[in-house]
Amino acid sequence: MKLSDARKDQYRKLAKENMFRSRSAYKLSQINKSHHILKEGMKVVDIGAAPGGWLQVTSKIVGLYGTTIGIDIKEIEPIPNVITIIGNIENKEDINKLINTINGKADLVLSDLSPNVSGLWEMDQLKQIDLTEKALEFTKMILKENGCALYKVFQGENTTEFINYLKEFFLNVIITKPDASRKQSSEIYVLCKRFRKKDLIK
Ligand SMILES: C[S@@+](CC[C@H](N)C(=O)[O-])C[C@H]1O[C@@H](n2cnc3c(N)ncnc32)[C@H](O)[C@@H]1O
């Protein structure tokens, strides 16, 4: 067994033991451990949230006075104190439904969006960036001033361009790769802190 497969197995086993719905739960936990993005009482929106590992991690930390909302094209099994919406981030009506559910501004937007992978790498990577751009457009509508966002990005030719674009809206943009993310996978996580309306950034 390769080391990377062993690590994948280790997180799968841990997720099962700790009743997390996905290995991905550890990616968010590890990012949070280093960067402290989740806090009690926060209002958090998770885009591409199924099966719900990130929602489990988030709701545990934001607690009963916080709000956790997840959207996905796939149904998400209920999680206590979590609101879920079946919807597509590319669909205007679904976005409006999400905005109405949030009812105000969010403190943090999370996006772990992945398209259905076709196996054609360039196509999948372009689609993933395209979806993440939709998540950013949505973020601009609902994130409060100085809020944070975390985006999964499949690395490719256009990654630098996308990250530079993110820098137009956030004062602090950090690239991170948690241990639970396989070394050979092209995914990275871009943590964006201190949201500013574009015209405020010099
Ligand atoms: C890697 S999974 C997310 C795992 C999740 N973070 C967890 O911890 O359980 C990526 C998700 O993105 C969702 N997705 C893909 N395209 C979408 C879209 N257009 N709108 C909403 N969700 C989408 C997929 O259905 C899939 O569930």
Side-chain angles (χ1 to χ4, degrees):
M1 187 188 275
K2 285 187 288 180
L3 187 66
S4 52
D5 290 337
R7 179 179 279 118
K8 198 169 160 186
D9 264 15
Q10 172 206 339
Y11 283 111
R12 186 167 291 147
K13 195 166 160 244
L14 266 176
K16 208 171 167 193
E17 280 168 12
N18 293 302
M19 316 269 276
F20 283 120
R21 295 179 181 185
S22 63
R23 285 192 310 114
S24 297
Y26 287 95
K27 299 178 191 172
L28 180 62
S29 278
Q30 288 167 358
I31 292 169
N32 188 49
K33 215 168 171 187
S34 306
H35 299 281
H36 315 285
I37 54 173
L38 289 164
K39 294 191 179 72
E40 203 176 340
M42 273 185 161
K43 194 184 271 191
V44 182
V45 185
D46 184 5
I47 309 167
W54 282 25
L55 293 174
Q56 290 176 299
V57 171
T58 299
S59 67
K60 202 169 162 193
I61 296 174
V62 303
L64 286 178
Y65 297 107
T67 309
T68 308
I69 303 163
I71 182 166
D72 202 291
I73 44 178
K74 294 181 196 149
E75 197 175 342
I76 301 168
E77 288 291 314
I79 301 171
N81 203 33
V82 172
I83 302 163
T84 57
I85 295 173
I86 301 180
N88 188 331
I89 197 65
E90 299 186 284
N91 178 309
K92 254 194 178 149
E93 274 176 29
D94 292 341
I95 290 179
N96 285 337
K97 196 169 158 192
L98 185 55
I99 290 172
N100 289 334
T101 308
I102 296 164
N103 186 23
K105 295 276 179 185
D107 299 289
L108 172 66
V109 174
L110 304 172
S111 165
D112 196 20
L113 282 161
S114 294
N116 272 335
V117 283
S118 68
L120 296 171
W121 169 246
E122 277 179 20
M123 215 169 89
D124 293 341
Q125 193 270 336
L126 282 174
K127 180 65 191 167
Q128 201 278 335
I129 286 273
D130 185 53
L131 281 174
T132 308
E133 278 172 3
K134 301 278 172 15
L136 173 61
E137 290 314 307
F138 165 76
T139 304
K140 288 194 258 173
M141 292 184 233
I142 56 96
L143 189 61
K144 75 177 188 196
E145 193 82 9
N146 275 320
C148 274
L150 176 70
Y151 303 103
K152 174 165 73 188
V153 171
F154 285 1
Q155 291 181 87
E157 263 179 29
N158 48 8
T159 311
T160 309
E161 195 185 327
F162 180 64
I163 290 172
N164 285 338
Y165 185 56
L166 286 171
K167 287 179 182 166
E168 293 182 20
F169 299 97
F170 294 90
L171 286 182
N172 194 1
V173 174
I174 302 160
I175 295 167
T176 180
K177 177 129 176 126
D179 185 64
S181 172
R182 287 176 301 133
K183 294 271 179 297
Q184 78 274 35
S185 103
S186 81
E187 72 180 16
I188 51 170
Y189 286 85
V190 188
L191 174 57
C192 305
K193 291 184 165 177
R194 303 198 58 200
F195 175 63
R196 289 274 191 259
K197 292 281 178 208
K198 191 175 172 182
D199 52 351
L200 293 181
I201 297 185
K202 293 268 149 28

